[in-house]
Amino acid sequence: KELQKWQSSLVVRYGSPTQVFQELLAQHDIKAVYTNHDYEPYALERDQAVGELLQARGISFQTYKDQCIFEKDEVLTDAQKPYSVFTPYSKKWKAKLNDFYLKSYPTEKYFQNFVSLPQEPIPALEQMGFVDMPEVVFPDRQVRLDIVKNYHEKRDFPAQQGTTRLSVHLRFGTVSIRTLAREAKQHNETWLNELIWRDFYMMILWHFPRVGKGQAFKEKYDTIEWRQDKTQFEAWCAGQTGYPIVDAGMRELNATGFMHNRVRMVVASFLTKHLLIDWRWGEAYFAQKLLDFDLSANNGGWQWASGSGCDAAPYFRIFNPASQTEKFDKKGEYIRKWIPEINGFGYPKPIVEHTFARNRALATYKKALGNEETP
């Protein structure tokens, strides 16, 4: 509708990229194609295939940075190497930041060049194989400054509206990262750090593409003997572990396609440490369910939880669901919302005992990693 105000429209096609571009080339006299960088393994293969198709026909293929503030080699160590720890990366990121990187792109001057095409129907989600989820509510894309200004105080409490929910808009490009970074720089450094994490994980994926292909960032962690317990994994997926904060998070995810970030850390730690199930299983499940799924951030978060990723903290960091609940949902508001039967006979008993699970995880990790990291 916004494009129609400028006498233009949006053409949406569903199919394999090369097939769709062949159709477009047959329908239009295309001189050049402009797109923005993506850093995921599949996206790189897709863009290369489309670029080769276009260039074989003498059509220019131009790509640009858009979805992050700094990409690829723009933030490196003094030795010109990619960072592998967030804190020093974030310091260099902030030192490099200036108004040039925060200003909006001058899109308005191109409006007069938009081509007016007949409006095509946009494919319905059901046509593309997505199931109807009646509880899904797409958040507004406006920046709530009241939330941003108090983000550092309220972001960890899942029962409160302490986060902006803008991650889905960043994922699909319906809000500008530069707009958000300008607001963050002005109003809340903690929120700015979350945006920097996003750049950080994209940088990691670019420099270490193996992490996007199922390999641990810390390669020795690929030797951990994970438990292939499908029954316990299914209990985790369904929110039936007997640990209320874990189950509430999984039920929220299954119903809405969203999970609060603090709870994401708790449920990921529970799967990888308490149940000792491969982080890749959890990563794949989140990829299937999250509306804001972003490969680099999802992979980074899961490897952070399992200890195999870019993180200075060692493997023996294991979240205690009970103490996490006491800190961040003390009144049980979040838990009661998603587990109405919490005090009834229908709620399951814990599928594993905390101290036993913690000791088992420490022993398993130590066996794989040796004594290089000790509590």
Side-chain angles (χ1 to χ4, degrees):
K1 291 179 179 177
E2 291 178 12
L3 287 170
Q4 287 172 358
K5 296 176 184 177
W6 299 93
Q7 287 74 53
S8 187
S9 59
L10 185 66
V11 175
V12 180
R13 302 287 176 87
Y14 178 62
S16 72
T18 52
Q19 176 188 349
V20 169
F21 267 94
Q22 287 171 343
E23 294 172 358
L24 293 171
L25 293 172
Q27 296 168 5
H28 305 283
D29 182 19
I30 296 175
K31 303 296 185 187
V33 170
Y34 297 83
T35 189
N36 296 321
H37 294 162
D38 202 336
Y39 314 96
E40 300 178 4
Y42 163 74
L44 295 174
E45 295 173 3
R46 174 201 64 205
D47 292 351
Q48 181 178 354
V50 171
E52 291 173 353
L53 170 67
L54 296 170
Q55 290 163 5
R57 303 191 183 199
I59 299 171
S60 177
F61 184 58
Q62 305 290 330
T63 69
Y64 301 88
K65 178 181 72 172
D66 175 63
Q67 62 171 319
C68 52
I69 301 296
F70 296 119
E71 66 168 9
K72 300 179 181 179
D73 295 329
E74 290 189 303
V75 177
L76 296 171
T77 68
D78 292 341
Q80 298 303 296
K81 301 290 184 182
Y83 282 97
S84 60
V85 177
F86 174 75
T87 299
Y89 170 86
S90 67
K91 291 179 179 177
K92 180 70 74 72
W93 191 101
K94 292 174 184 176
K96 187 180 177 79
L97 188 69
N98 58 37
D99 291 342
F100 171 80
Y101 294 106
L102 291 175
K103 68 181 181 180
S104 297
Y105 292 166
T107 53
E108 293 83 357
K109 73 179 184 179
Y110 298 108
F111 287 170
Q112 61 185 352
N113 297 327
F114 281 5
V115 175
S116 181
L117 296 172
Q119 184 67 47
E120 294 186 8
I122 295 178
L125 290 174
E126 290 78 12
Q127 290 178 264
M128 297 183 284
F130 290 92
V131 297
D132 182 40
M133 295 179 67
E135 291 192 57
V136 169
V137 176
F138 288 94
D140 191 89
R141 63 176 178 169
Q142 299 302 313
V143 181
R144 288 270 306 272
L145 288 183
D146 59 323
I147 293 177
V148 171
K149 290 177 180 179
N150 295 298
Y151 179 78
H152 59 295
E153 296 177 345
K154 296 184 177 182
R155 66 174 183 146
D156 281 318
F157 301 94
Q160 301 182 24
Q161 192 174 357
T163 63
T164 64
R165 296 287 302 273
L166 287 168
S167 55
V168 66
H169 290 290
L170 281 171
R171 175 65 183 96
F172 289 101
T174 47
V175 69
S176 167
I177 182 61
R178 289 163 294 284
T179 297
L180 301 192
R182 282 198 303 270
E183 299 290 359
K185 185 173 183 292
Q186 181 178 354
H187 296 292
N188 198 302
E189 186 173 11
T190 304
W191 198 53
L192 179 64
N193 283 337
E194 294 303 306
L195 299 179
I196 300 174
W197 271 106
R198 184 171 171 273
D199 274 15
F200 176 72
Y201 282 139
M202 287 187 184
M203 178 275 296
I204 290 295
L205 184 61
W206 171 260
H207 283 285
F208 306 94
R210 68 175 186 271
V211 302
K213 298 178 180 179
Q215 297 180 40
F217 179 81
K218 298 174 183 174
E219 296 176 79
K220 196 169 184 178
Y221 278 67
D222 281 331
T223 64
I224 292 172
E225 295 180 18
W226 302 106
R227 298 174 62 247
Q228 311 295 319
D229 193 322
K230 293 183 179 180
T231 300
Q232 289 196 343
F233 177 68
E234 289 171 0
W236 176 85
C237 292
Q240 295 287 343
T241 68
Y243 282 81
I245 191 69
V246 174
D247 294 340
M250 297 307 297
R251 295 186 192 190
E252 179 185 30
L253 174 65
N254 292 332
T256 69
F258 172 81
M259 189 194 298
H260 187 278
N261 185 59
R262 166 58 57 175
V263 185
R264 292 189 196 197
M265 291 190 285
V266 175
V267 302
S269 175
F270 185 86
L271 183 74
T272 56
K273 303 292 178 60
H274 280 69
L275 301 185
L276 209 60
I277 290 176
D278 196 332
W279 59 267
R280 299 167 187 84
W281 290 26
E283 179 195 23
Y285 191 77
F286 270 32
Q288 183 182 13
K289 295 291 183 178
L290 284 172
L291 291 180
D292 64 1
F293 167 68
D294 185 290
L295 190 151
S296 56
N298 189 49
N299 178 273
W302 273 99
Q303 295 221 41
W304 182 91
S306 71
S308 65
C310 305
D311 185 15
Y315 68 80
F316 46 84
R317 175 190 53 208
I318 299 175
F319 283 112
N320 183 329
S323 60
Q324 290 288 306
T325 302
E326 178 67 20
K327 288 180 181 178
F328 303 116
D329 192 36
K330 190 170 185 176
K331 296 181 180 179
E333 298 171 80
Y334 175 74
I335 288 172
R336 286 196 303 274
K337 177 180 179 180
W338 295 106
I339 312 177
E341 79 278 19
I342 184 66
N343 294 318
F345 292 110
Y347 188 64
K349 295 181 180 179
I351 61 175
V352 67
E353 194 272 325
H354 170 70
T355 301
F356 164 79
R358 185 180 188 278
N359 292 336
R360 179 177 64 182
L362 291 174
T364 302
Y365 272 70
K366 188 173 182 179
K367 179 181 178 182
L369 304 173
N371 294 315
E372 61 183 45
E373 297 179 30
T374 54

